[in-house]
Amino acid sequence: MAERETWTTDEFGSSHEGSIGVLLSDGTVPEPAFFPLSSGAGGQTTSEWSVYDGSFSLTPKAHALRAVCSCGWTGTEYPLDWAQIGEQNLRVAAGDLAEECETEWWDGHTATVEKSAVAVPEDITDLLRLVSE
């Protein structure tokens, strides 16, 4: 089972952590997919986009992919063409859309965040460092 792939920048870290998000046909974001263990109680959950192919009764079929960020920003919706995807592995069949999402996040969102960021004066940085020590 794939872990959800995320992206960060050195400058912004987890405050701007990007990933590929899934939208269902009704426009909602699905709950994390749960895969029970066959040997008893428990299981594993994931929000990795490629598991939302509808092949398991517990996972809905994604309608679209989009880049998302931990700050709440969401990118362009890239609809999935299930007639073209057919029975192919979703990760392979929609890999180009996933790359579009990542590119939009890196080149678009992080550039916008960087332009709007304000550098903290060194005096304040030094004071914050002293307080944390």
Side-chain angles (χ1 to χ4, degrees):
M1 171 108 20
E3 291 287 326
R4 186 175 191 177
E5 179 183 1
T6 60
W7 324 295
T8 59
T9 63
D10 291 338
E11 185 175 4
F12 300 112
S14 63
S15 66
H16 288 280
E17 182 176 60
S19 64
I20 299 171
V22 172
L23 286 176
L24 301 178
S25 59
D26 64 1
T28 61
V29 175
E31 295 292 324
F34 177 73
F35 295 92
L37 295 175
S38 60
S39 61
Q44 191 173 9
T45 60
T46 184
S47 294
E48 171 61 27
W49 66 272
S50 61
V51 303
Y52 295 97
D53 61 3
S55 63
F56 299 100
S57 62
L58 302 173
T59 57
K61 188 178 273 191
H63 171 73
L65 303 180
R66 66 181 178 177
V68 297
C69 185
S70 60
C71 73
W73 172 89
T74 57
T76 305
E77 294 178 21
Y78 295 94
L80 295 167
D81 182 352
W82 284 102
Q84 183 179 1
I85 293 170
E87 297 299 316
Q88 295 179 72
N89 176 287
L90 184 57
R91 179 173 286 284
V92 173
D96 57 336
L97 294 180
E99 287 179 18
E100 288 286 331
C101 292
E102 184 175 1
T103 300
E104 181 180 20
W105 185 84
W106 281 109
D107 295 345
H109 177 59
T110 57
T112 301
V113 170
E114 190 170 27
K115 287 178 187 173
S116 64
V118 177
V120 176
E122 196 170 326
D123 298 9
I124 294 175
T125 304
D126 291 341
L127 288 172
L128 290 172
R129 191 175 308 114
L130 284 172
V131 168
S132 68
E133 290 173 359

